[in-house]
């Protein structure tokens, strides 16, 4: 009896201790909002705030897509409900796991996937640095998908610690030196652009005049995709096929080093009968009247002007070609005109 | 060439960290459940299984451990029946040989490269433990253990095998095999010790190590007060690191209601080097006293012999710590300290009389504590430096540069710790000093146990959160091995 009391007391103590340590970890874990760079935290936390089965189109991929497709404009102009799950250096593996996770909450009719990470971006085994993987996974809710993602990530990148995903203090423990007021808010601080449904506004102009889009008759030879990224592209394709989701590949304007990758993606798309829209190709580039100097923020990302052009093009396509119908939804209706109404470009 | 396993330095030194690994504590919980679930008289089997499992996982030398334990077990039986000095010598030599080969290969075989050899885990500790067992049988102080498995448990007991302490058979033998009932107080006190061990390791030792490593690894760039700061911090690091491991070891053993001897008695509160050695690494220094110093004649044959014996004992102490002249030099230095301490003692007393200060006054005590600490610190500089010559150079450069401005112009902030971390380190050291002072008057763990449950829980939770947040571990701070695990 005496021992039973001790076991019971220990159990209660451990519950209290776990709750305290969970709260401490919540404080220590970094929050990424538009105030300190790419709003990955905002993107993922807000995704879970969306009502179930209300998103018709999901955007996935790297920061290229996060700054190129504006869900609110997609709704305002075309009545399409969409969410941008793109994030900083999101590699194909992360896109796959986030798609899998998103399907637990939404039933999208189409997925638009950015193809930037099919080329070699980093020497890291996952093709993007560990910190970016953490940014994407740390705010995923606990589920079998998250556990699978952690296991896969740590298997592929042996430098990462599996335990540190479960106990984030191991990874972010030195953050106590840089804690700010927002870290102590009971509700995670999401920054001033929290209503943009994953879109990141960039307001600079690249002023790059020497960008040349890829001509239709270019003689580039296809280059090999990063093997692991190609594997996860296949996984995404199969998952979309299983769930009857239209997969659309895109490549947003950036100062590419080798046009061969564009060709590789085209060939892949052709092989599996997947649409591929490359805004680096001169036909689309000119069709939307894109100007790299004024519509890109720098060498890699579209600014808000460019994003408006890309979004409108894709919105029209989704409606006309892929039968994504316009619909009324309060979640987008409430923020209607936010891009035009608020001046984010100061 | 010898066929001893070759490994990198990193592989050689990452064993002792296991005591602060999350996985270790998960296994420990399973072990505790198993231990308290089986009948009392069979509980030692769980400890034996755990110890052998632990050694198999973290060392490639389980066969060597079994071999040495079998040899010494047999010698123990024979020595009990036939008292023979020759037999004792042969038994000690056969037990000592693996230690000499693996830890001092250059001394034995000139062609072996020190850097490529791996010393079996805990060999320095279990070898001394076994020697003590054999000598004690020879001296008829103990009876030999007749059950080999029970003896094997004494040799391999998992909480202490990596870095001691070095318990005698009469202290541990029976305790390990008698089987203990669950005792709530013992259990909670064990957890107190583990938490305190983590505090010492992660809040002080590993934080101080950042500054210590910066200075010692780039010693040519530092002189004067930099060396003094690094020397003081290394003294603190070494003590807190070792004490942390002992606390965790004792704490883990206490979870099974097994009491392991204390290895430290506030050594930096010593007023002489002699007293320091009565308080520092007690199980080792008492081993040296009982099995080296006294058999050599101790202080029974006059002063000159006493000094000779002191030097021999401390040279052996130095050699036990590692393969290198610096360890011998460090040992000799401590012997010289003690010899001079004794020679100069009458002068010291006269000096006190002249300036009319009682040798029992607080002032003289503080003065002696500071001087003793300073002398010990000089020794630790040699101990930590990358070689004896480097150590001597560092000591000289400490004296020949006067740069007190480093305490005022942020120079110390360039040694790897920012202001906030310095604040945490210094605060933690102060907490350590306060606890050390309190421990001399009361048993803090008993005091905590007497408090109301709510207060106790608050103390535990605050302590764990403080270590959780401010401790030095995790990404970018791969926790350091326990230093003594490397000896």
């Amino acid at each position: 009896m005496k021992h039973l009391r001790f076991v019971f007391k220990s159990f209660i103590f451990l519950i209290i201790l776990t709750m305290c340590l969970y709260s401490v970890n919540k404080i220590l874990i970094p929050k990424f909002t538009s105030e300190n760079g790419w709003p990955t935290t905002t993107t993922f936390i807000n995704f879970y705030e969306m009502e179930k089965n209300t998103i018709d189109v999901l955007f996935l991929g790297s920061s290229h897509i996060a700054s190129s497709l504006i869900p609110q404009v997609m709704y305002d102009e075309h009545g399409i409900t969409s969410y941008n799950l793109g994030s900083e250096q999101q590699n194909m593996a992360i896109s796959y796991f986030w798609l899998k996770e998103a399907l637990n909450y939404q039933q999208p009719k189409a997925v638009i996937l950015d193809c930037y990470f099919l080329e070699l971006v980093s020497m890291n085994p996952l093709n993007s640095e560990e910190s970016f993987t953490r940014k994407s996974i740390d705010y995923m809710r606990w589920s079998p998908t998250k556990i699978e993602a952690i296991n896969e990530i740590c298997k592929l990148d042996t430098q990462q610690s599996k335990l540190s995903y479960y106990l984030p203090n191991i990874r972010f423990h030195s953050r106590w030196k840089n804690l700010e007021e927002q870290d102590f808010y009971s509700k995670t601080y999401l920054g001033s652009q929290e209503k943009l449904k994953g879109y990141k506004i960039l307001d600079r102009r690249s002023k790059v005049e020497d960008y040349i889009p890829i001509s239709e008759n270019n003689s580039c030879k296809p280059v090999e995709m990063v093997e692991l990224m190609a594997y996860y592209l296949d996984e995404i394709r199969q998952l979309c096929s299983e769930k009857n989701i239209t997969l659309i590949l895109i490549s947003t304007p950036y100062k590419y080093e080798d046009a061969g990758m564009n060709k590789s993606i085209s060939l892949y798309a052709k092989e599996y009968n997947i649409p591929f829209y490359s805004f680096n190709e001169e036909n689309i580039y000119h069709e939307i009247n894109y100007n790299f100097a004024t519509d890109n923020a720098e060498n890699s990302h579209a600014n808000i002007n460019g994003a408006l052009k890309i979004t409108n093009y894709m919105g029209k396509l989704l409606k006309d070609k892929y039968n994504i119908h316009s619909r009324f939804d309060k979640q987008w209706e409430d923020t209607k005109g936010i891009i035009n109404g608020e001046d984010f470009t100061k | 060439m010898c066929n001893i396993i070759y490994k990198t330095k990193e592989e050689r030194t990452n064993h002792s960290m296991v005591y602060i690994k999350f996985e270790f504590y998960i296994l420990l919980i399973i072990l505790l459940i198993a231990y308290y679930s089986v009948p009392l008289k069979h509980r030692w089997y769980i400890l034996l299984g755990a110890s052998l499992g632990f050694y198999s996982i973290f060392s490639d030398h389980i066969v060597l451990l079994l071999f040495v334990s079998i040899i010494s077990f047999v010698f123990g039986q024979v020595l009990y029946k036939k008292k023979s000095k020759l037999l004792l010598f042969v038994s000690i030599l056969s037990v000592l040989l693996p230690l000499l080969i693996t830890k001092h290969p250059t001394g034995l075989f000139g062609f072996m490269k020190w850097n490529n050899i791996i010393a079996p885990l805990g060999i320095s500790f279990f070898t001394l433990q076994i020697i003590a067992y054999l000598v004690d049988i020879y001296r008829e102080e103990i009876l030999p253990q007749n059950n080999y498995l029970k003896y094997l448990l004494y040799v391999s007991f998992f909480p202490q095998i990596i870095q001691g302490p070095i318990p005698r058979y009469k202290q541990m033998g029976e305790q390990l095999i008698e089987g203990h009932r669950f005792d709530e107080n013992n259990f909670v006190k064990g957890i107190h010790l583990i938490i305190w061990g983590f505090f010492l390791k992660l809040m002080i030792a590993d934080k101080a190590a950042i500054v210590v490593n910066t200075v010692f690894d780039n010693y040519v760039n530092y002189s004067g007060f930099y060396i003094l700061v690094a020397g003081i911090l290394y003294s603190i690091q070494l003590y807190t690191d070792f004490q942390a491991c002992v606390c965790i070891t004792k704490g883990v053993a206490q979870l099974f209601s097994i009491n392991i001897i204390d290895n430290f008695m506030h050594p930096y509160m010593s007023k002489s080097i002699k007293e320091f050695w009565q308080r520092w690494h007690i199980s080792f220094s008492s081993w040296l006293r009982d099995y080296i110093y006294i058999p050599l004649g101790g202080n029974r044959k006059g002063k000159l012999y006493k000094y000779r014996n002191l030097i021999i004992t401390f040279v052996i102490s130095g050699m036990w710590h590692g393969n290198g002249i610096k360890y011998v030099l460090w040992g000799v230095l401590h012997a010289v300290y003690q010899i001079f301490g004794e020679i100069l003692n009458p002068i010291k007393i006269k000096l006190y009389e002249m300036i009319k200060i009682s040798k029992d006054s607080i002032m003289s005590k503080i003065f002696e504590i500071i001087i003793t600490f300073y002398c010990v610190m000089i020794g630790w500089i040699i101990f930590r430096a990358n070689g004896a010559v480097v150590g001597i150079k560092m000591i000289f450069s400490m004296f020949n540069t006067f740069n007190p401005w480093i305490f005022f112009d942020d120079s110390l902030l360039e040694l790897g710790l920012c202001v906030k971390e310095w604040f945490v380190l210094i605060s933690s050291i102060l907490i350590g000093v306060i606890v050390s002072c309190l421990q001399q008057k009361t048993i803090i763990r008993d005091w905590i146990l007497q408090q109301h449950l709510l207060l106790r829980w608050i103390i535990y939770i605050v302590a764990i959160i403080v270590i959780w947040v401010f401790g030095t571990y995790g990404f970018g701070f791969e926790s350091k091995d326990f230093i003594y695990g490397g000896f």
Side-chain angles (χ1 to χ4, degrees), chain A residues 2-3 6 9 12-13 16-17 20-21 24-25 28 130 159 163 167 169-171 173-174 176-178, chain B residues 22 182 184 187-188 418 420-421 424 453 457 460-461 464-465 468-475 477:
Chain A
K2 202 178 152 194
H3 294 167
F6 177 75
K9 270 195 301 182
I12 299 291
F13 175 78
I16 297 170
L17 180 66
C20 291
L21 295 179
V24 170
N25 278 357
L28 288 176
E130 182 249 3
Q159 296 295 310
L163 187 62
L167 299 171
N169 58 302
I170 292 172
R171 178 63 183 82
H173 127 280
S174 55
W176 65 268
K177 288 174 276 186
N178 311 97
Chain B
F22 182 76
F182 179 80
E184 186 178 331
F187 195 87
V188 175
C418 68
K420 291 172 191 171
E421 286 169 314
V424 171
L453 183 77
W457 283 14
Y460 304 151
I461 288 171
I464 292 169
I465 287 177
W468 189 270
V469 175
F470 301 110
T472 304
Y473 67 95
F475 197 89
F477 289 110

Side-chain angles (χ1 to χ4, degrees), chain B residues 18-197:
Chain B
V18 66
Y19 290 144
I20 51 172
K21 288 263 185 197
F22 182 76
E23 294 84 348
F24 175 75
Y25 290 91
I26 298 291
L27 287 173
L28 186 63
I29 291 169
I30 296 167
L31 202 57
L32 282 163
I33 294 169
Y35 183 80
Y36 287 116
S37 303
V38 300
L40 213 58
K41 64 176 180 178
H42 298 313
R43 286 183 181 173
W44 67 273
Y45 285 114
I46 301 289
L47 293 182
L48 178 65
S51 300
L52 295 179
F54 179 87
Y55 202 83
S56 309
I57 292 168
F58 296 106
S59 173
D60 300 322
H61 299 95
I62 183 76
V63 176
L64 179 81
L65 177 77
L66 293 173
F67 176 74
V68 173
S69 62
I70 290 169
I71 291 276
S72 55
F73 174 75
V74 173
F75 272 121
Q77 298 291 324
V78 179
L79 272 170
Y80 177 63
K81 285 171 189 150
K82 191 184 171 197
K83 304 275 166 300
S84 157
K85 269 197 178 171
L86 179 68
L87 199 63
L88 179 66
F89 176 76
V90 172
S91 66
I92 290 175
L93 193 67
S94 58
V95 168
L96 206 54
L97 213 56
L99 175 71
L100 293 175
I101 292 172
T102 54
K103 291 212 80 173
H104 296 273
T106 45
L108 284 179
F109 311 103
F111 57 85
M112 291 171 84
K113 283 184 183 169
W114 165 252
N115 278 338
N116 288 335
I117 201 164
I118 177 171
L121 182 65
I123 191 165
S124 304
F125 293 92
F126 69 70
T127 302
L128 299 196
Q129 216 175 311
I130 291 171
I131 291 173
Y133 170 77
L134 294 170
V135 176
D136 287 352
I137 290 173
Y138 176 81
R139 288 177 180 168
E140 295 182 358
E141 287 178 14
I142 56 167
L143 294 173
Q145 172 56 257
N146 293 322
N147 182 327
Y148 168 69
L149 293 179
K150 288 179 179 175
Y151 173 70
L152 181 60
L153 174 58
Y154 161 69
V155 174
S156 64
F157 186 44
F158 76 95
Q160 64 170 54
I161 195 159
I162 293 182
Q163 64 177 59
I166 307 160
R168 308 289 169 83
Y169 184 75
K170 57 190 161 204
Q171 293 161 332
M172 282 293 281
E174 279 306 306
Q175 255 203 94
L176 289 172
I177 54 175
E178 64 194 7
H180 300 271
R181 290 184 194 285
F182 179 80
D183 181 288
E184 186 178 331
N185 277 359
N186 254 335
F187 195 87
V188 175
K189 278 163 129 182
I191 291 172
H192 288 176
L193 275 173
I194 294 170
I195 294 173
W196 183 239

Side-chain angles (χ1 to χ4, degrees), chain A residues 114-128:
Chain A
D114 159 46
C115 292
Y116 175 58
F117 263 80
L118 289 169
E119 62 185 77
L120 186 69
V121 177
S122 157
M123 292 313 288
N124 188 284
L126 282 161
N127 204 22
S128 61

